[in-house]
Amino acid sequence: MKPCQNQFKVGGRYIYAFDNKEGHTEALVEIVRKTNSCAIIKFIEIYEEHTGNDFFAYLLKIGGTMGASYGLLTEAKK
């Protein structure tokens, strides 16, 4: 089932995770803005990164944001 953007809240913290040929990537993120097609996120903590270019670590360092599919976000446990 495709996630509905309404279940996500601006300011909420979520786990952003996916697998690719390099391995598993997982990070704690916060939604800073929502669009119909994706959530705009900023990184809070990176647990494991296999993006091939450390892009998420770079965004964490500079406080940058990026778009993320709602399907890759799950609510973070408190």
Side-chain angles (χ1 to χ4, degrees), residues 7-78:
Q7 71 191 59
F8 298 95
K9 296 177 179 33
V10 172
R13 291 194 173 188
Y14 299 87
I15 299 296
Y16 177 61
F18 61 89
D19 294 303
N20 61 18
K21 65 181 180 176
E22 283 82 24
H24 182 72
T25 295
E26 188 170 310
L28 177 65
V29 301
E30 182 178 312
I31 295 178
V32 296
R33 190 167 41 96
K34 294 185 339 181
T35 70
N36 287 336
S37 59
C38 68
I40 307 303
I41 60 170
K42 70 176 180 178
F43 290 86
I44 305 301
E45 186 175 352
I46 298 169
Y47 303 124
E48 191 171 356
E49 180 175 8
H50 293 283
T51 59
N53 61 4
D54 294 329
F55 183 62
F56 296 166
Y58 172 73
L59 288 176
L60 176 64
K61 181 179 177 180
I62 67 164
T65 62
M66 66 173 251
S69 168
Y70 292 110
L72 298 177
L73 297 169
T74 56
E75 192 164 359
K77 306 263 190 271
K78 302 269 184 211

